[in-house]
Amino acid sequence: MMTRPKPEPVQVIKQRRDAALAKLAGNVPYIQHLGVNFDRRGDELTAILPYNENLIGNPFLPAIHGGAIGAFMEIAAVMELMWSIVWQQMENGGPAAEAIERGAFPAMPKTIDFTVDYLRTGLPRDAYARARVNRSGRRYASVNVEAWQDNKTRIFSQATGHFLMPQLITE
Amino acid sequence: MTQTTTAERRKMAEQFISVIPHSRDLGMALEDFGDGMAEMSIEYDPRFVGDPDTGVLHGGVITALLDTCSGVAVSSHSSVTEATATIDLRIDYMRPATPGQRILAKAQCYRVTKSVAFVHAKAYDENEDAPVATAAGAFTVGLPKKEGA
């Protein structure tokens, strides 16, 4: 009879994934500067941009700066892509997974182009974004992002970006 | 005559940028200003890095600079009198910005219709021959209707 290895306790797996995500976001100064953090449900990420006064682009309305919104969406897109790579490597185990455990991540994907569609004024409130990797090949990836504030159905910005994938060490 | 001179508009633009918290937060400065054109810069700052392994600035910083510079170029256009907002902005990244160097953005508002202004913009580091990024944007022109009206 085949003996399956005993599955790891859920807390160990959770702790490993949360630690990897925290390290990944914590390593990027601009993510820290904007104050973006991530909520994780399994492999699903939600990027959160907590409101602060420095995000304002139009003090008279007031409204969040289009550049801050664009940056937030790009952060959400890159992190989703990076997380999908890291997640897969952690799941596969082996040397790549051990490297991640030590905090040695694969290189970041590079943005080729990024298009932001500003649908509504960004209000002085927290913003949320979820990205979806529509295609991820060996060299290129296409990612879509939607962002909302109070109402999930009223997205205030959407974006599409193309990225150059990092060269992964595969055995 | 209500026509404002470039010098007056420039002063207005400088004041405008100085009261935008996000532009101040990123240390944006107005370098040049004319009818339908603007140049703005951002100093290299380790807090704005996007790739910790290379020290390259985050694309979002370039986005913020190009968006602001494009918006200022629209406001500087002689046929635009009211506030403007970005409809969409596409940015193409040609190469990573050299770590340690300041970024200069140049934007040209090349066409204004009754409702839309069209802008092309470029971002450089110290190597002006090879842009770091180019952008194409559409901006609102004309007073917005009251919501719900």
Side-chain angles (χ1 to χ4, degrees), chain B residues 51-69:
Chain B
D51 189 337
D53 293 337
T54 58
V56 170
L57 289 179
H58 196 280
V61 179
I62 316 269
T63 303
L65 180 66
L66 285 167
D67 181 69
T68 309
C69 191

Side-chain angles (χ1 to χ4, degrees), chain A residues 27-30 33-34 53-57 59-60 65-68 70-71 74-75 108 111-118, chain B residues 19-23 25-26 46-52 58-61 63-64 67-68 86-93:
Chain A
N27 277 348
V28 180
Y30 195 55
H33 183 75
L34 274 183
E53 206 261 335
N54 279 339
L55 299 175
I56 289 293
F60 308 104
H65 197 284
E74 197 172 325
I75 286 169
M108 305 275 283
T111 313
I112 300 167
D113 61 63
F114 202 70
T115 308
V116 187
D117 187 1
Y118 296 94
Chain B
V19 297
I20 299 177
H22 193 63
S23 304
D25 185 50
L26 294 174
R47 291 176 303 160
F48 305 155
V49 164
D51 189 337
H58 196 280
V61 179
T63 303
D67 181 69
T68 309
T86 320
I87 297 171
D88 94 319
L89 188 71
R90 176 194 164 110
I91 301 183
D92 292 298
Y93 294 95

Side-chain angles (χ1 to χ4, degrees), chain A residues 8-20 40 42 83:
Chain A
E8 285 180 298
V10 64
Q11 282 313 323
V12 172
I13 300 174
K14 258 194 188 167
Q15 199 277 330
R16 178 191 301 134
R17 289 171 180 169
D18 287 338
R40 185 183 71 81
W83 183 241

Side-chain angles (χ1 to χ4, degrees), chain B residues 100-120:
Chain B
Q101 296 186 4
R102 76 162 195 162
I103 304 296
L104 180 72
K106 296 180 181 183
Q108 181 78 48
C109 173
Y110 61 94
R111 180 91 178 112
V112 178
T113 71
K114 211 166 71 182
S115 308
V116 186
F118 297 91
V119 183
H120 279 151

Side-chain angles (χ1 to χ4, degrees), chain A residues 90-167:
Chain A
M90 283 195 299
E91 288 297 286
N92 291 350
E98 282 159 26
I100 288 164
E101 201 106 10
R102 290 196 309 270
F105 292 96
M108 305 275 283
K110 289 194 176 76
T111 313
I112 300 167
D113 61 63
F114 202 70
T115 308
V116 187
D117 187 1
Y118 296 94
L119 304 171
R120 291 184 173 89
T121 303
L123 303 170
R125 316 237 166 87
D126 292 0
Y128 314 97
R130 269 190 208 143
R132 189 180 59 241
V133 179
N134 285 323
R135 152 133 175 108
S136 169
R138 245 182 321 173
R139 293 171 71 200
Y140 309 110
S142 178
V143 183
N144 188 260
V145 192
E146 287 186 347
W148 72 98
Q149 292 189 298
D150 290 337
N151 304 110
K152 173 79 172 66
T153 51
R154 282 169 65 89
I155 55 172
F156 79 113
S157 183
Q158 60 182 347
T160 299
H162 295 94
F163 299 87
L164 201 56
M165 296 296 275
Q167 295 299 309

